Amino acid sequence: LWRELNNFRAPCSPRHKQQRNTRPILVMPREIITLQVGQCGNQIGGEFWKQLCLEHGIQPDGKLRDLPVDSDNEHGLMPIHSTYTAHPDHAGPNHMQGSSSTPSNASHSFIDDRKDVFFYQSDDLHYIPRALLIDLEPRVVNKLLANTTSNSSPYHRSLFNEENVFIAKDGGGAGNNWASGFRQGEEHHEQVIDMIDRESDNSDSLEGFVLCHSIAGGTGSGMGSYLLEALNDHFPKKMTQTYSVFPNWDQTQSDVVVQPYNSVLTLKRLTLNADAVVVLDNTALNRIAVDRLRIPNPTVDQLNSLVATIMAASTTTLRYPGYMNNDLIGLMASLIPTPRCHFLMTGYTPLSIGDYYYQNQNYQNLNQNANSSVGNNATTAAASSDGDASNADTTIP
């Protein structure tokens, strides 16, 4: 045995070293399963998958294009540079600040991406999202699964796995009641958990879950809270990150009278059972659309496209390999100083649609905008960049 160990530790000849260096390195993907719960969760989830399909060159029917299509050709907006910061003002919440820019219009002959993180490939070579569409009423989910190629819903039914769609049989919804959504989540526990188990068994190295929901309604808050507890019990060693839409501050702008109660009850589950919570402020989204993008009456789809841009920017390092933050654990380890301090707030700069504004931007200006928005109130920060730039250009001083 000792002789075998010595032979194993013996230095290799230069020829063997050259052969070993030229051997391709296989990196096991760290899959992430996305749970879209409720009307809001499925709407922002649909925009998120639209953004990922554009960035990875996947057609609406799941087939791969010859060359990936830049999302700025479709929307004039593509996240490239992002910064995340944690804020110490609250005992629980952290805040996340982001900035982004658009790459040049030069075509890419090859992009080294990891589609397996959020997609899996079926036997007929179609890419299918690792997503579960969960709702207690069928309207929004049926719109996502509509077999149409119009601009409002550019999806085919073959993009999503129909076995991962859960709609309550009565289809009555939760009525904006947290208790009703939590109770119905408990009633349909076995069916939903079986769907999650089937999707996790289809993964080689599952890293965690991403939950998209709203904390003010009934299904996203109530059933989402129950799913957070169920995931924490059923998968205790897997990470759970949420993209949570927070309601408007002004109560007169909401038609849900009980949204404060729904929000407080959901915040307790987010604090105890989630590893990272990305705060999406509905008031800030409306203010950005009106003040920055000059949209007098922003629609829900326009606001959801902003959310999808943030979600795609925050997962860039997971989908495109780099020298650091290549998995969710490594990304969140640098952002969360204590387990309870895991609330992150998002930001995005520059906010514009069109090529003229981006032509006058560079990474130095983006770093200055990120520093001015963060200020001196950040306890932790992490930056991720994508595009034709060196590490020195994208470093935040």
Side-chain angles (χ1 to χ4, degrees):
L1 177 61
W2 181 255
R3 184 168 58 251
E4 293 295 333
L5 289 175
N6 289 334
N7 293 334
F8 177 76
R9 296 174 182 175
C12 300
S13 62
R15 180 174 61 86
H16 289 163
K17 286 184 179 181
Q18 184 177 3
Q19 293 178 356
R20 183 171 297 180
N21 292 335
T22 57
R23 183 177 301 172
I25 299 176
L26 298 178
V27 180
M28 180 175 294
R30 302 300 305 274
E31 296 90 355
I32 296 176
I33 298 176
T34 304
L35 306 178
Q36 304 172 191
V37 184
Q39 176 180 347
C40 178
N42 282 284
Q43 286 178 343
I44 64 176
E47 293 292 330
F48 174 62
W49 292 115
K50 185 194 304 183
Q51 185 82 9
L52 292 193
C53 288
L54 289 171
E55 292 186 10
H56 290 284
I58 299 175
Q59 298 178 4
D61 58 352
K63 295 181 180 179
L64 192 65
R65 291 190 180 95
D66 294 336
L67 288 177
V69 177
D70 290 338
S71 61
D72 56 345
N73 296 333
E74 182 76 14
H75 300 288
L77 194 64
M78 180 178 178
I80 277 301
H81 188 84
S82 302
T83 305
Y84 314 97
T85 63
H87 197 282
D89 286 351
H90 306 284
N94 284 359
H95 296 271
M96 186 159 86
Q97 186 71 30
S99 63
S100 63
S101 65
T102 294
S104 60
N105 293 328
S107 61
H108 303 281
S109 60
F110 174 75
I111 295 180
D112 185 13
D113 58 352
R114 295 176 179 173
K115 301 181 184 66
D116 293 339
V117 175
F118 286 95
F119 295 88
Y120 68 90
Q121 202 167 12
S122 61
D123 295 335
D124 56 356
L125 302 181
H126 283 73
Y127 281 94
I128 300 176
R130 301 181 187 273
L132 274 70
L133 284 63
I134 303 172
D135 202 352
L136 298 177
E137 57 179 352
R139 181 170 55 88
V140 177
V141 176
N142 289 340
K143 182 180 179 181
L144 286 178
L145 298 179
N147 191 7
T148 177
T149 56
S150 62
N151 294 328
S152 61
S153 181
Y155 293 103
H156 286 284
R157 184 175 293 271
S158 58
L159 179 63
F160 295 98
N161 186 2
E162 295 185 2
E163 295 181 355
N164 290 345
V165 176
F166 172 79
I167 300 175
K169 293 182 179 180
D170 54 0
N176 294 323
N177 191 319
W178 183 91
S180 176
F182 193 90
R183 176 186 57 82
Q184 295 188 57
E186 188 176 6
E187 291 177 357
H188 304 293
H189 169 82
E190 293 184 2
Q191 187 175 356
V192 177
I193 292 299
D194 288 343
M195 294 166 54
I196 298 175
D197 285 337
R198 183 178 63 250
E199 196 65 28
S200 63
D201 293 339
N202 193 30
S203 305
D204 295 330
S205 179
L206 180 64
E207 184 174 19
F209 302 90
V210 168
L211 176 66
C212 304
H213 70 130
S214 171
I215 71 170
T219 305
S221 62
M223 192 171 184
S225 298
Y226 183 82
L227 288 178
L228 281 175
E229 295 181 352
L231 290 175
N232 196 15
D233 294 337
H234 202 67
F235 301 93
K237 296 184 179 180
K238 304 300 180 182
M239 287 199 64
T240 302
Q241 179 187 2
T242 70
Y243 289 91
S244 305
V245 178
F246 281 57
N248 291 320
W249 297 341
D250 190 359
Q251 186 67 22
T252 60
Q253 298 180 0
S254 174
D255 55 351
V256 182
V257 180
V258 295
Q259 75 175 15
Y261 302 98
N262 297 337
S263 302
V264 170
L265 292 170
T266 310
L267 278 174
K268 177 182 178 182
R269 275 73 184 180
L270 291 175
T271 304
L272 297 177
N273 300 303
D275 296 303
V277 177
V278 179
V279 177
L280 303 171
D281 188 5
N282 217 358
T283 304
L285 291 173
N286 282 279
R287 186 173 62 249
I288 288 171
V290 174
D291 297 341
R292 290 294 189 91
L293 300 180
R294 308 299 181 185
I295 302 175
N297 297 312
T299 62
V300 176
D301 293 336
Q302 291 171 335
L303 298 180
N304 291 336
S305 65
L306 289 176
V307 176
T309 302
I310 292 295
M311 294 176 64
S314 61
T315 58
T316 299
T317 57
L318 309 179
R319 297 179 287 112
Y320 296 94
Y323 68 96
M324 63 181 301
N325 295 334
N326 291 327
D327 54 7
L328 191 60
I329 296 177
L331 180 61
M332 294 304 165
S334 60
L335 287 175
I336 301 174
T338 60
R340 290 292 181 90
C341 191
H342 61 253
F343 286 78
L344 309 173
M345 188 179 69
T346 62
Y348 186 84
T349 182
L351 287 167
S352 177
I353 297 178
D355 295 334
Y356 177 77
Y357 187 68
Y358 287 118
Q359 290 174 357
N360 294 306
Q361 292 293 319
N362 53 36
Y363 281 103
Q364 284 74 20
N365 293 336
L366 293 174
N367 291 336
Q368 293 177 2
N369 293 337
N371 286 334
S372 62
S373 58
V374 171
N376 298 322
N377 298 323
T379 56
T380 60
S384 62
S385 303
D386 186 15
D388 188 10
S390 62
N391 293 332
D393 295 334
T394 59
T395 300
I396 296 179

